[in-house]
Amino acid sequence: TLAALGLRDALLGAAHDAEPTDRLVAAVRDREALLIVDNCEHVIDSAAAFAHRVLGECRRLRVLATSREPLGITGEALWHVVPLALPAPDAAPDEVERSPAVRLLRDRASAVRKDFAVDARASATMARVCRALDGMPLAIELAAARLRTMSLDQLAHRLDDRFRLLTGGSRTALPHHRTLRAVVDWSWELLTDAERVVLRRLSVFSGGASLEAAERVCAGDGADAGQVLELLTALTEKSLVLAEGDEAPRYRMLGTIKEYAAQRLAEAGEADLARHAHLAHFTELAETAEPHLRRAGQLEWLAALGVEHDNIGSAMRGALAAGEAHGAMRLAAAAGWYWWLSGHKSEGMELIAAATEVAGEVPDEVRAMVYALMSTFVTSGPGDEHQAAEWIHKAYRYSRTGRPGNPMLALVVPLERMLREPGAFLPAWEALLDNEDPWVRALARLHLGKMRIVLGHGGRDADAYLEEALAEFRAIGERWGISFALTELADRIAVRGEFAGACEYYEQAIAIVSEVGATEDVIRMRSRQAQLYRLLGDEDSSAAAIAEAQRLADRVTWPDALALLAFAKAELARWDGDTAAAREQLDVATTMLGGEVDQPNIRAVAQDVLGYLAEDLDAARAHRAAACRAASEAGHASLIAQVLVGVADQALRLDQHEQAARLLAASAAVRGLPDHANPDVARIEQAVRSRLGDAGFAEAAREGTSADWSRLVEVTLAS
C-alpha cells in the first residue's frame, strides 16, 4: 500500500520499525485519498479492523471494500452488486435483445464464434440460458466460452450439469474465478459449519422458504432452530441467500447456489433427512389450511398455500420418487382441494393420480379422501364416467372402514347411491340436507337443483334449490360454491330466454371465482357468456368474452376447459355460417380431449355439430343417428333435448315440416321447457310455421309432446 501511494520511508520520520498500519496512518492522516480493498472476504475480520482504524484516524480518507459480505463497521454504506437484469418470460424479441444479460452472452459468443447468428429463436434460447444462470456475469462468460465447441441449443440443454460444463475461464483470472464450481467453492470454504448446514438444507426448498419453514427444515447438526435466523442473516450478508419481502421475508438461493448446495447436501448424507422434514412441514401446512378452504377465510388460506405452491409440488414429487405411499397420499389428500380451487387442476390431477399408484400402507381415511378427490377431478368436465365410477366405489369403500373425516367424504355417499340406484338421484342428495356441515348442506341443495335439470323437470323447483344453495354458500363465504350456483342459475334462466340476466350471473360468478384463481373455470364461463351475448345481439361483448377466454387459455393446460372453449368457438362459427372454422375448432376440441372423446356426452355434442355442418343429407343422417345413440347412452335430458333439435333440422332439410314440429315439441318435453338459448330452435320453428301456419304447427307440436322421442327419431332418420 505504501509503495502504491508513492511514499518514501524518509517522509515517515524515524519510525522505520512501525507496524504497516501505523505507517499508513502516518502517511495519509491529513491527505484526501480513496483506499480500495478488493476481494477481502477471506480476511474479513482483519479488513474490518483495519478499515475501522484508518477511517477513525484519517478524516479525509475513504475506503471502498469489495467483498461477499459487509465489513460490519459503523458508517458503512452497502452497495449490492446484483446479477444482470434478465428479460421477462413473456418479453418481446426486442426486449430480449436489450436485456443486459442477453447482450453480454451475445457479445461474448460473437467474440468466440465469428459465425454466431442471432435470430428470434436464438434470442429466446439465449434468454433461457441467462435465466438458468441467474444473470451471473461470470457464469455467462464461462457459458459463452463453451460456444467455441458447442451449439447454443446444446449449451442450453446441458445446463442441468452446469458445474461440469462451465469451466475453462481466463488463464489470467484468479484460480477461484476460472470455473463456476471454483467460484462457489471459494464462498463455501469461508463458511462456518453451522452456516454450511443451513445452506445445504435450504436447497430442498422450491420457490424460497419462510423463516418458520427454514427453522423446521434447516435446524440440526450444530444449527439449532433458534439460531437459524442468525445463520440465514449471515448467509444473506455473504450473498449466498436472498431475503425477499418486507413483512415476512422469504429466503431463497439463485439456481447455481441451490444446485451446489444440493450436491453438498447429498455428500453430507442428509438429503433424505432434509426432504422428510420438508415434506412433513408442508403436509402439516396443507392439512391446517384444508378445512378453511370451504369457508369465508378461503382467500387468506389460498394465498398462504399459493406462496408455497412450488414447495408443495416438490414435496409431493419427492415422496413419489422415493415410493413413499403414505407421505404422497397424505399430502395429496391435504392439497387436492387447493389444487382444484386455485387454477392448478392439471398439475393436481397428475400428482394425485401418481400418488394412487404408489404401493404401500396408507390409512383408510386418507385413501378415501384421495379417491374422492380423483372422482371430483375426473367428473369435473367431459371425463370418463366409467373411470369416475371406479374412483367413487373405492372412495365409498374406504370411507366406510376409516374414521369419520373430511366433509367431502359425505358427498361420496350420494354418488355411490346414484351409481347403484339410477332412479334414486333425488333421494340420494336429500339425505344430506340435515348434514352437520353447512358446506355439505349447501352442495346438497345445489345438486338437488342440478339433478332436476338433468332429469328434465320443467317447473321452478330446480331454480328454488339453486337459489337456496346460492344463499347458503354466500352465508358461509365459500366462493367456489357461489360461482357454481350462479352458473347453474345462469344456464337455467338462459333456457327461458333471460339472456341479459344470465350474462350478469356469469359476470358475478367470474368475479368471485377469479378471487380464488380458478382460471380454468373462468375460461368455461367466458366461453358460454360469449354465446349468450351473441344471442342478445351484442357482437362486441361476445368478441371480448371469447378473446378473454382465449387469453386465459394460453396460460393453462386443463384439457376440459380448453375443449369447452373450442366447442364454443365451433358453435359461434357455425352460427356465422363459417363451416371451415367450425370444423377446425371441432377438431381442436376432440384432439384436446384425447381418449375422453369416446365418452357418450362428448360424442353426442360432436356428432350434433357435425350434423349441422354436413352438406350431404346422408352424411348428416349418419351424424344425427350417432348423436342420438350417444345422448341416449349418456341419459341426460338436456343432452337428449339438444340432439332432438338437430334431428328436427334434418326433418326440415327433408321438407318434413310436421315431423320437424313434432321433434321440437318432443325436445321441449324431454327438457321440461322450451330452449330459448338454442338459436336453431327459433330458426327451425320459424321455417316450419311459415309452411304449416300457426294452427298446423300447434297440432303437430301436440303430437310431438306426447310421442316417444326415440320413435320420432327412428322415423325421421329412416327417410
Side-chain angles (χ1 to χ4, degrees):
T1 301
L2 296 175
L5 290 171
L7 300 174
R8 298 191 302 272
D9 285 348
L11 295 177
L12 303 177
H16 296 289
D17 58 347
E19 290 292 328
T21 303
D22 295 334
R23 300 172 69 193
L24 177 63
V25 168
V28 300
R29 186 184 303 276
D30 298 318
R31 298 181 60 178
E32 184 173 0
L34 172 65
L35 177 62
I36 298 176
V37 184
D38 193 23
N39 287 335
C40 60
E41 60 268 8
H42 58 303
V43 289
I44 195 69
D45 292 333
S46 299
F50 168 76
H52 178 73
R53 163 98 187 270
V54 298
L55 288 170
E57 298 189 34
C58 306
R59 300 300 181 183
R60 301 177 68 191
L61 177 69
R62 295 293 180 267
V63 174
L64 174 61
T66 67
S67 172
R68 298 186 187 183
E69 62 179 303
L71 295 178
I73 63 176
T74 303
E76 182 178 23
L78 299 180
W79 182 272
H80 290 283
V81 180
V82 298
L84 296 175
L86 295 164
D90 58 349
D94 59 330
E95 293 177 294
V96 172
E97 282 288 323
R98 289 197 304 267
S99 79
V102 172
R103 283 168 50 200
L104 176 62
L105 179 58
R106 183 194 60 211
D107 293 346
R108 295 298 184 265
S110 298
V112 299
R113 286 185 60 170
K114 300 305 180 185
D115 62 343
F116 187 74
V118 178
D119 53 19
R121 183 175 178 276
S123 290
T125 305
M126 285 194 292
R128 184 153 55 94
V129 169
C130 291
R131 288 191 199 99
L133 298 176
D134 308 302
M136 295 171 60
L138 177 61
I140 293 173
E141 296 263 9
L142 294 170
R146 277 296 184 188
L147 292 175
R148 294 189 188 98
T149 55
M150 299 178 71
S151 71
L152 185 59
D153 285 337
Q154 286 175 322
L155 174 67
H157 291 143
R158 289 173 179 263
L159 284 177
D160 55 349
D161 192 13
R162 66 188 71 186
F163 291 111
R164 183 176 299 178
L165 180 69
L166 302 184
T167 60
S170 171
R171 290 189 178 92
T172 63
L174 293 172
H176 58 270
H177 285 173
R178 292 179 186 172
T179 71
L180 187 60
R181 184 173 187 90
V183 172
V184 189
D185 278 339
W186 171 258
S187 295
W188 176 265
E189 294 302 326
L190 299 175
L191 300 180
T192 66
D193 289 342
E195 288 171 342
R196 292 176 184 176
V197 170
V198 171
L199 185 65
R200 64 185 180 236
R201 293 185 181 182
L202 195 65
S203 67
V204 299
F205 289 92
S206 297
S210 66
L211 176 59
E212 178 186 7
E215 288 174 334
R216 172 78 178 273
V217 176
C218 298
D221 197 17
D224 295 336
Q227 297 177 300
V228 169
L229 174 58
E230 178 184 344
L231 294 167
L232 285 171
T233 302
L235 290 168
T236 301
E237 291 180 343
K238 292 176 171 63
S239 302
L240 292 169
V241 170
L242 303 176
E244 300 173 332
D246 297 325
E247 294 184 4
R250 292 182 64 79
Y251 302 92
R252 72 175 184 88
M253 295 180 281
L254 296 178
T256 296
I257 305 301
K258 177 179 166 65
E259 183 177 329
Y260 180 92
Q263 292 178 6
R264 289 293 190 175
L265 184 69
E267 291 171 6
E270 297 175 346
D272 282 342
L273 177 69
R275 184 180 62 77
H276 285 138
H278 179 269
L279 173 63
H281 177 79
F282 289 104
T283 298
E284 291 169 16
L285 174 65
E287 288 174 339
T288 301
E290 202 273 346
H292 299 281
L293 300 182
R294 289 180 294 277
R295 297 292 185 271
Q298 65 185 171
L299 289 185
E300 174 187 347
W301 285 96
L302 280 170
L305 294 176
V307 170
E308 304 296 357
H309 177 82
D310 291 343
N311 276 312
I312 293 170
S314 66
M316 185 70 175
R317 291 181 178 88
L320 292 171
E324 296 168 355
H326 189 189
M329 290 283 277
R330 183 181 163 194
L331 181 52
W337 195 239
Y338 156 71
W339 286 321
W340 169 268
L341 284 179
S342 61
H344 298 287
K345 287 187 174 70
S346 292
E347 179 184 13
M349 185 168 183
E350 174 191 341
L351 293 174
I352 295 171
T356 64
E357 296 175 0
V358 181
E361 293 295 323
V362 178
D364 287 352
E365 60 268 23
V366 174
R367 283 199 181 277
M369 184 62 189
V370 173
Y371 295 153
L373 285 166
M374 275 300 296
S375 67
T376 299
F377 276 86
V378 171
T379 58
S380 64
D384 187 331
E385 294 184 1
H386 297 294
Q387 187 182 59
E390 291 180 10
W391 291 119
I392 292 168
H393 289 322
K394 288 181 179 180
Y396 179 79
R397 184 169 71 251
Y398 282 103
S399 68
R400 297 298 90 189
T401 59
R403 296 190 302 271
N406 195 292
M408 286 191 66
L409 294 179
L411 309 179
V412 173
V413 178
L415 293 173
E416 176 72 11
R417 185 173 177 184
M418 288 166 61
L419 290 173
R420 295 183 182 278
E421 304 175 45
F425 283 12
L426 299 181
W429 291 102
E430 287 168 352
L432 294 183
L433 290 178
D434 59 354
N435 189 278
E436 62 182 14
D437 190 282
W439 183 79
V440 173
R441 294 196 301 270
L443 201 57
R445 292 191 188 282
L446 193 150
H447 278 289
L448 283 168
K450 189 175 176 65
M451 286 299 104
R452 280 169 166 76
I453 295 171
V454 168
L455 294 171
H457 292 197
R460 296 277 177 171
D461 286 353
D463 305 62
Y465 274 107
L466 295 175
E467 288 164 358
E468 290 169 3
L470 176 60
E472 292 183 6
F473 280 125
R474 280 178 168 156
I476 61 176
E478 208 283 272
R479 290 160 182 80
W480 172 78
I482 293 171
S483 69
F484 191 172
L486 282 169
T487 55
E488 290 295 330
L489 277 168
D491 289 340
R492 186 63 166 174
I493 67 173
V495 169
R496 295 197 177 96
E498 300 174 33
F499 305 139
C503 284
E504 175 55 28
Y505 274 147
Y506 267 112
E507 202 62 42
Q508 293 178 32
I510 289 166
I512 288 170
V513 82
S514 294
E515 291 184 293
V516 300
T519 304
E520 300 97 340
D521 292 337
V522 178
I523 294 170
R524 172 179 57 83
M525 295 176 192
R526 287 292 186 206
S527 300
R528 180 56 178 156
Q529 200 180 40
Q531 294 174 310
L532 294 172
Y533 276 127
R534 179 68 67 84
L535 295 174
L536 277 170
D538 188 344
E539 299 287 340
D540 291 342
S541 294
S542 176
I546 209 72
E548 173 68 2
Q550 184 59 60
R551 185 184 69 80
L552 295 172
D554 293 338
R555 295 159 40 191
V556 304
T557 58
W558 184 240
D560 294 346
L562 301 178
L564 286 172
L565 171 59
F567 275 127
K569 286 183 173 182
E571 282 287 73
L572 290 170
R574 182 175 71 80
W575 294 353
D576 288 337
D578 191 341
T579 301
R583 287 186 180 278
E584 179 183 352
Q585 289 300 322
L586 195 60
D587 288 342
V588 170
T590 53
T591 301
M592 193 66 62
L593 290 169
E596 292 182 7
V597 76
D598 291 329
Q599 296 306 305
N601 50 343
I602 299 299
R603 281 189 283 116
V605 171
Q607 292 295 328
D608 184 51
V609 175
L610 288 171
Y612 287 110
L613 300 177
E615 296 181 4
D616 179 75
L617 278 174
D618 288 336
R621 181 185 295 108
H623 289 306
R624 296 300 179 201
C628 288
R629 287 193 299 270
S632 180
E633 185 181 346
H636 298 166
S638 56
L639 188 58
I640 294 171
Q642 178 180 328
V643 300
L644 286 177
V645 175
V647 181
D649 180 71
Q650 181 79 2
L652 178 63
R653 295 175 67 179
L654 293 167
D655 292 326
Q656 298 177 1
H657 298 93
E658 292 88 351
Q659 189 73 344
R662 295 185 192 103
L663 284 159
L664 288 181
S667 172
V670 169
R671 186 184 293 277
L673 68 169
D675 185 6
H676 295 288
N678 185 343
D680 293 303
V681 172
R683 173 180 59 81
I684 296 168
E685 180 176 336
Q686 182 180 8
V688 171
R689 280 185 184 277
S690 68
R691 294 295 299 270
L692 300 180
D694 290 342
F697 181 87
E699 177 60 28
R702 278 193 296 272
E703 295 172 359
T705 299
S706 58
D708 179 349
W709 67 263
S710 60
R711 178 58 183 161
L712 290 175
V713 169
E714 182 182 349
V715 170
T716 304
L717 297 183
S719 302

